[in-house]
Structure formats: structure tokens, C-alpha cells
Amino acid sequence: MAVFKPKFITFDCYGTLINFDMAGAAASVFADRISVDNMQAFTTDFARYRLDEVLGAFKLYPQVVSNALQRTCNKWRVTCTAEDSAAIMTACTGWGPHPDVPAGLARVASEFPLVLLTNSTDQLIAHHVPRLGAPIHMTITAEEVGAYKPQMKGFEYMLDKLGCGPDEILHVSSSLRYDLMTAHDLGIAHKVFVNRGHEPGTPYYGYSEIRDIGGLPAVVGL
């Protein structure tokens, strides 16, 4: 069977390419209020509230984090301050790529233009793109779109901006809930699930599965 050669390879950024450690940042900030035994449950709630926040009215990502953190702390009956969310956002700026990313991206970038569709702000993503180790053809943020994944608007905006159809791209993500389910619903047939252990796979959504970005060149026949 012929290997699909996309016009663009499009990516989720945080979690897929950048080592997204929001749980670690929150655990560091709240170590004085949440016990070690309870910290995983606390940070899981924080992740769930962030997802709920991005499904609502648009606000910039620092406000998403702040709102989700306040809701989490309300549930856990612990104090939450503006300094707490600011500390978490500061920690975000220091994140780098997963170790497999620079070499894997550089290999596919030699043949295909790479595009990021990210639930980020223009200011935040600027810290991370230079660390990816490969040229990025285009970066589209939630701030530019005015909506977050898993809403469809970002994918629609990206396809319009690239001037191509859903059958002409390959979308790569480590998240079914934020990316691959929506991509499936929009008719993006060519998808890659980078199984970094964030979420269980669901083969119904029709993707190729790889363990890390080092496996991506083989998917596109390199």
C-alpha cells in the first residue's frame, strides 16, 4: 500500500512535543497545602478543570489556568492566590522538548512543512518553538483563533490558513480528547497518536500509533 505523503504535518505542541508538566508545576506550588498521598488526585482535578475551562467562553491561557486552579482549590478546600497561578505560568516558560523530539522533527522537516496548532498564547509559545530543534513552517495559537481545542474552530482555521482540505494533512498528537477525536470528526483521516501514556488509545478513531516522535519518519515513508 502506498505511503501517504501529506502537504503538511500538523502537530499538537504541549505534551506531544514539549514536555508538558503542569502537574509537576502545581505539585511544587501546592506542596505546603496538599499531602504527597493526595497530590496526584489534586493535579488530576486541575487537569479536568482546565479541559472544562477551554470548552467555555474564550479567555487567554493564563486565565484558563487561574480559573481551573481556583476551582480545584475550592473542591479541595485549600487557599489559592494569584501568586500561585502566576508561579505555575512562570514554570511553563522553562519547559523543553521530550528527548526524542529534535531528531525526529528534523528528519520529517527535511521533507514536509511542519505546523503547530496549539492551545497557547502568542507570548508563551515563543519560549518553546526555538527549543524544538527543527524549522516550523507555521504556528497557530488559540489566541490567534479565539478558541481552544478540542473545539473544531482551531482545526477549521488552520485548514483555511493552509489552503488545504482535511484529506491533505497528517495530524500528530498525544491526546485523543484534545486533538484526535476532533480531527476524526472533521474528516482528517490521516492521524498519528503519540502514546506518551497521558491517555489510553481508542482505535475507533483511526490513527497510526507511535511511542515517540522518533517513529514519525517511518509513518511518512522516510
Side-chain angles (χ1 to χ4, degrees):
M1 187 171 64
V3 173
F4 175 63
K5 298 290 186 178
K7 285 188 176 180
F8 301 93
I9 303 179
T10 62
F11 294 86
D12 167 60
C13 186
Y14 297 107
T16 304
L17 303 178
I18 293 293
N19 187 7
F20 182 84
D21 191 20
M22 191 68 80
S28 177
V29 171
F30 283 88
D32 61 336
R33 280 159 279 179
I34 301 294
S35 71
V36 173
D37 289 344
N38 287 332
M39 189 60 76
Q40 183 173 349
F42 178 83
T43 58
T44 296
D45 282 340
F46 182 33
R48 289 168 175 166
Y49 281 121
R50 291 197 309 275
L51 176 59
D52 191 63
E53 284 290 328
V54 300
L55 294 172
F58 180 76
K59 74 281 287 183
L60 289 176
Y61 197 66
Q63 192 63 52
V64 168
V65 170
S66 179
N67 290 0
L69 192 62
Q70 184 63 64
R71 294 169 70 184
T72 305
C73 290
N74 287 347
K75 179 178 179 179
W76 284 81
R77 300 181 184 276
V78 296
T79 59
C80 179
T81 69
E83 288 75 19
D84 294 328
S85 54
I88 289 172
M89 290 307 303
T90 296
C92 294
T93 65
W95 295 337
H98 292 286
D100 53 274
V101 165
L105 277 191
R107 181 70 183 95
V108 294
S110 67
E111 300 290 336
F112 303 96
L114 311 184
V115 176
L116 305 181
L117 177 63
T118 174
N119 278 1
S120 189
T121 64
D122 299 342
Q123 183 178 19
L124 181 59
I125 195 66
H127 292 278
H128 301 118
V129 171
R131 300 172 187 163
L132 294 176
I136 302 301
H137 172 74
M138 184 183 297
T139 299
I140 298 171
T141 65
E143 180 176 2
E144 180 179 347
V145 175
Y148 292 96
K149 299 176 295 180
Q151 297 180 54
M152 290 182 173
K153 187 176 179 181
F155 285 95
E156 294 172 314
Y157 180 95
M158 177 179 71
L159 291 171
D160 286 345
K161 194 165 183 178
L162 294 175
C164 63
D167 58 333
E168 296 177 296
I169 68 168
L170 176 69
H171 190 67
V172 182
S173 178
S174 62
S175 176
L176 270 75
R177 294 187 77 180
Y178 276 92
D179 282 77
L180 297 180
M181 291 179 180
T182 304
H184 171 273
D185 290 347
L186 284 169
I188 298 172
H190 302 284
K191 301 178 289 295
V192 172
F193 174 45
V194 186
N195 190 350
R196 296 199 183 276
H198 310 318
E199 304 171 13
T202 306
Y204 169 81
Y205 290 99
Y207 49 73
S208 299
E209 182 172 330
I210 58 178
R211 291 196 305 173
D212 58 43
I213 299 299
L216 185 58
V219 175
V220 291
L222 300 180

